[in-house]
Amino acid sequence: MYNAGQYDVIVIGAGHAGVEAGLAAAKRGAKTLMLTLNLDLIAFMPCNPSVGGPAKGVVVREVDALGGQMGKVIDKTHIQMRLLNTSKGPAVRALRAQADKVLYQQEMKKVIENQENLTLRQGMVDEILIEDGVVKGVLTETKAAYYAPTVIVTTGTFMRGKVLIGDIEYESGPNNQRATVKLSEQLEELGFDIVRFKTGTPPRVNSHTIDYSKTEIQPGDEEPRAFSYETTEFITDQIPCWLTYTGEFTHQIIDENLSRSAMYSGAERGTGPRYCPSIEDKIVRFNDKPRHQIFLEPEGRNTEEVYVQGLSTSLPEDIQKKLLETIPGLEKSEIMRAGYAIEYDAVVPTQLWPTLETKKIDGLFTAGQINGTSGYEEAAGQGIMAGINAAAKALDQETLILDRSEAYIGVMIDDLVTKGTNEPYRLLTSRAEHRLLLRHDNADLRLTDIGYKMGLIPQERYDRFTKKKELIDSEVDRLKSIIIKPTKDVQQLIEELGGSPLKDGVKASDLLRRPEVKYSHIKQIVPHDENLPSDVEEQVEIIVKYEGYIKKSLQQVEKMRKMENKYIPDGIDYDDIQGIATEAKEKLKKVRPLSVGQASRISGVNPSDISILLVYIEQGVRSQASNE
């Protein structure tokens, strides 16, 4: 063993969690080391070559608003981008981009290599160096000892990874990379609760062998779109995706060969993701459905590989070939890479504080799929938070915990550390009780101030942001001050829109609240600033139209905040509290919630238990006050 260097933060892994963690820590001023198994696979996309989607797309914008990198890189390297759920309300809209996965990796690597305070090295970490329950650094297989007061583990699906294809199984990480074994064994030895999860991929086929005439084209949006609030140049030459379907014969082949699927062979296997099931799972769980969607997604501009989204499987390769032959457009397709499932170890996330530091080992953080999540976006959201907080611990700076009302990132981390998960966790809009506040369009308004305070947002960007806020506030106030009279032109416009005519003058803001009226219509009948940016106009319309709903949501947030701000004394002994149910005591001792609000969300802790806890805390406060 030799001393290979001293750092403030060490990041193990350079996937989507690792890169955001390393960049965030370095931007906060921490001397940061990022160790990865393969420098050629930084920010690699082993599964679907895409970024975003419902809830997930909002997370990408939140990462960007905090000063992260994922949004900027996908804006530079995508082959297609679409805004989803445009016919629905703003609370469920989200961007989704199809990635050029090789260009994405290359661009992210370039960013990391040029980041001040960040050192990138290739190496396998075998051991986390710990003394008296405190992190001291890491040791690689080449006996290089790197020292730091904080370490972030972002090993993704590499922890004791095992690839499964039919009856074939072998130790491996994604894409035939080496698995991380010793690190997983050490975490077990340290007393961490470990669970076994799995995920899967579909076959990739050669584009030249697809008959696209039998499929439906899925083009990108003509209107320029971007995840990052800093993007000013847009990709216009987009590549389409294609839609096809499974059919009766596909399902018949799966039914006849279920016993040959690694997941249905009878052997004990890890738990898979409920919301991204294999094709075997779909046929078993939804056997009443005559067909399932299959999306054909190009993996980049300079490859013929096409990702067969919706056909994730662990069936043998010969059966995969037979399945493809039953799908319109894929009858003669040639497999370039067979689909496979991968099992891996994950840490039970209730062993983490909301900062993502582990409760067992001081200075040890975990982020990404090791925490039981699925998805690149969820990993990036955890990564930036772990990087911010590890740097804070190393440099004695302010830590950051996002509230459930502030960000989907806050919802996700609170869900993980408070409730845990018995399957790979995926963010959904339904998980957020305040989703009207956590919109795709307002991530910058929610989080840019925080990113600036954490040192991740440069001054120039922050100045543009404050100018945007001023323009929004000014225009909302202006619309509330303008009276629109029922002139002939106004009445004619309202009639064309299908609305009821005005009986008297109304404020422009009140007219905009009508469902049929948009801000563009208001501009036709009142004086306006021709140079107002489109994103400002969008915010003005949403704020005015949903003002009542937003106010109600904010009132609910304020009510919950009183519980969140009711902190539980450090070192509280739950066994001393009379009246709390035994199950509740066990859960409270295991999770060790920081606030009464967090305690109230723990499964098995009932309202009656919370009431008793509140009384106990209040009595303690009074007792302390009287002693003083």
Side-chain angles (χ1 to χ4, degrees):
M1 185 170 78
Y2 74 96
N3 187 334
Q6 181 74 41
Y7 296 86
D8 298 311
V9 177
I10 296 173
V11 181
I12 303 173
H16 303 281
V19 296
E20 297 294 352
L23 289 166
K27 287 177 183 178
R28 291 208 80 181
K31 186 181 178 184
T32 305
L33 171 67
M34 186 184 297
L35 289 163
T36 179
L37 286 171
N38 190 337
L39 288 178
D40 297 325
L41 291 178
I42 288 170
F44 180 60
M45 295 182 176
C47 294
N48 194 358
S50 70
V51 168
K56 291 168 170 280
V58 183
V59 170
V60 180
R61 297 210 105 192
E62 291 176 350
V63 168
D64 181 75
L66 287 169
Q69 200 63 34
M70 178 176 267
K72 299 181 186 67
V73 174
I74 192 63
D75 285 351
K76 286 184 178 181
T77 60
H78 70 266
I79 62 175
Q80 182 194 108
M81 192 172 291
R82 299 170 65 193
L83 183 62
L84 308 179
N85 298 326
T86 53
S87 62
K88 299 179 181 179
V92 293
R93 292 174 196 158
L95 274 176
R96 184 182 186 276
Q98 202 64 34
D100 186 315
K101 70 177 190 180
V102 173
L103 288 181
Y104 185 92
Q105 293 167 230
Q106 291 172 346
E107 181 65 26
M108 190 66 83
K109 185 184 180 191
K110 187 192 303 181
V111 170
I112 291 166
E113 290 173 337
N114 288 284
Q115 175 61 50
E116 187 181 358
N117 295 325
L118 183 56
T119 299
L120 178 63
R121 289 196 181 149
Q122 183 167 292
M124 165 77 82
V125 174
D126 276 353
E127 182 184 351
I128 300 165
L129 302 176
I130 299 165
E131 289 182 16
D132 300 323
V134 179
V135 158
K136 296 299 179 183
V138 302
L139 180 67
T140 70
E141 66 179 353
T142 56
K143 304 308 177 187
Y146 299 93
Y147 296 96
T150 60
V151 170
I152 309 172
V153 183
T154 67
T155 46
T157 60
F158 283 81
M159 295 254 288
R160 281 198 291 223
K162 182 186 288 185
V163 165
L164 311 164
I165 308 174
D167 59 358
I168 298 170
E169 56 182 72
Y170 54 91
E171 194 176 89
S172 174
N175 203 45
N176 288 325
Q177 295 298 298
R178 295 175 64 194
T180 301
V181 178
K182 290 185 178 180
L183 200 57
S184 190
E185 291 173 347
Q186 184 191 14
L187 291 176
E188 272 191 330
E189 290 168 4
L190 289 169
F192 282 94
D193 292 332
I194 304 293
V195 291
R196 195 79 173 153
F197 283 165
K198 71 175 176 67
T199 188
T201 67
R204 274 76 156 181
V205 300
N206 190 316
S207 179
H208 289 311
T209 62
I210 298 173
D211 184 352
Y212 288 106
S213 67
K214 296 181 179 180
T215 66
E216 302 170 31
I217 192 168
Q218 304 284 297
D221 289 349
E222 291 184 9
E223 182 180 340
R225 308 280 189 192
F227 278 102
S228 176
Y229 291 93
E230 292 193 66
T231 297
T232 55
E233 296 182 7
F234 301 90
I235 293 173
T236 55
D237 57 329
Q238 300 188 76
I239 297 175
C241 296
W242 306 83
L243 172 65
T244 184
Y245 296 89
T246 63
E248 178 185 349
F249 294 114
T250 323
H251 301 187
Q252 183 179 328
I253 291 170
I254 293 169
D255 282 332
E256 291 172 353
N257 291 277
L258 268 180
S259 62
R260 298 188 65 192
S261 166
M263 294 299 103
Y264 284 86
S265 64
E268 187 175 339
R269 297 296 186 195
T271 306
R274 179 194 305 257
Y275 301 103
C276 189
S278 66
I279 190 64
E280 297 99 293
D281 284 335
K282 289 179 188 176
I283 301 309
V284 171
R285 287 163 52 189
F286 311 109
N287 56 15
D288 57 321
K289 289 196 172 184
R291 64 179 191 171
H292 294 277
Q293 289 183 328
I294 299 292
F295 290 95
L296 306 178
E297 301 173 339
E299 295 216 325
R301 296 180 185 277
N302 300 308
T303 178
E304 296 304 321
E305 284 189 78
V306 175
Y307 186 92
V308 186
Q309 167 74 342
L311 206 69
S312 175
T313 182
S314 62
L315 284 162
E317 190 173 320
D318 61 312
I319 304 302
Q320 293 184 35
K321 187 175 186 303
K322 288 180 180 179
L323 292 181
L324 291 170
E325 291 171 355
T326 67
I327 298 172
L330 300 179
E331 295 92 342
K332 297 181 180 179
S333 62
E334 295 178 2
I335 296 176
M336 296 180 73
R337 303 186 200 217
Y340 63 89
I342 183 168
E343 286 187 342
Y344 57 95
D345 286 349
V347 171
V348 174
T350 52
Q351 300 168 105
L352 308 175
W353 297 115
T355 57
L356 296 182
E357 183 179 12
T358 64
K359 296 171 182 175
K360 287 183 181 295
I361 304 297
D362 189 77
L364 179 63
F365 294 74
T366 58
Q369 283 186 269
I370 187 176
N371 288 344
T373 58
S374 66
Y376 313 139
E377 305 84 0
E378 287 91 340
Q382 293 172 72
I384 194 169
M385 296 299 291
I388 288 170
N389 288 321
K393 188 174 185 72
L395 303 178
D396 197 24
Q397 298 173 336
E398 183 181 356
T399 57
L400 176 62
I401 298 173
L402 293 176
D403 189 82
R404 294 181 71 90
S405 64
E406 290 180 303
Y408 270 101
I409 295 173
V411 172
M412 169 179 60
I413 292 176
D414 183 66
D415 279 351
L416 291 170
V417 304
T418 304
K419 304 174 185 176
T421 181
N422 56 11
E423 62 186 38
Y425 176 98
R426 178 178 181 171
L427 262 173
L428 307 166
T429 54
S430 59
R431 296 193 191 273
E433 59 270 45
H434 308 297
R435 56 186 170 273
L436 183 57
L437 302 178
L438 309 182
R439 304 187 308 274
H440 148 89
D441 60 84
N442 71 348
D444 60 335
L445 299 176
R446 291 185 276 119
L447 298 174
T448 303
D449 276 320
I450 295 173
Y452 178 70
K453 187 179 179 183
M454 293 293 118
L456 274 62
I457 297 289
Q459 188 64 47
E460 182 183 355
R461 176 175 174 178
Y462 188 69
D463 291 341
R464 290 198 307 270
F465 165 71
T466 54
K467 178 64 176 176
K468 175 182 175 179
K469 281 204 302 183
E470 290 168 5
L471 289 173
I472 292 168
D473 293 341
S474 174
E475 182 63 2
V476 170
D477 290 342
R478 190 181 77 90
L479 292 181
K480 290 180 178 180
S481 68
I482 293 176
I483 301 297
I484 296 177
K485 296 181 179 179
T487 63
K488 182 179 178 182
D489 288 343
V490 169
Q491 299 288 44
Q492 183 178 344
L493 175 62
I494 293 172
E495 183 181 349
E496 290 172 358
L497 296 174
S500 55
L502 296 181
K503 295 180 180 178
D504 206 347
V506 297
K507 292 179 181 179
S509 56
D510 290 338
L511 185 60
L512 181 53
R513 287 194 186 97
R514 291 190 176 193
E516 71 275 8
V517 179
K518 297 182 178 179
Y519 181 82
S520 59
H521 301 133
I522 298 294
K523 285 167 61 177
Q524 296 177 33
I525 51 181
V526 300
H528 59 278
D529 182 356
E530 294 283 355
N531 298 316
L532 208 61
S534 59
D535 59 341
V536 171
E537 292 184 355
E538 178 186 37
Q539 279 306 303
V540 169
E541 180 170 325
I542 290 172
I543 288 169
V544 171
K545 274 190 177 297
Y546 295 92
E547 184 178 29
Y549 298 104
I550 291 171
K551 278 184 178 178
K552 190 176 290 185
S553 293
L554 290 171
Q555 288 169 357
Q556 293 171 347
V557 168
E558 198 54 42
K559 190 181 293 184
M560 276 302 299
R561 191 158 284 154
K562 291 177 182 177
M563 296 272 277
E564 300 298 337
N565 291 337
K566 196 79 173 177
Y567 293 105
I568 297 173
D570 191 32
I572 188 171
D573 188 348
Y574 291 104
D575 289 326
D576 280 350
I577 307 176
Q578 299 297 318
I580 290 184
T582 302
E583 181 188 2
K585 284 183 180 181
E586 290 173 357
K587 295 291 182 67
L588 289 165
K589 285 189 288 186
K590 183 177 181 181
V591 176
R592 292 156 67 191
L594 300 179
S595 70
V596 175
Q598 187 186 359
S600 70
R601 292 189 292 276
I602 299 173
S603 174
V605 178
N606 297 315
S608 58
D609 300 315
I610 295 299
S611 298
I612 295 168
L613 177 60
L614 281 167
V615 171
Y616 181 85
I617 293 171
E618 190 61 35
Q619 286 174 343
V621 170
R622 287 179 191 155
S623 175
Q624 185 178 357
S626 63
N627 290 335
E628 291 173 354

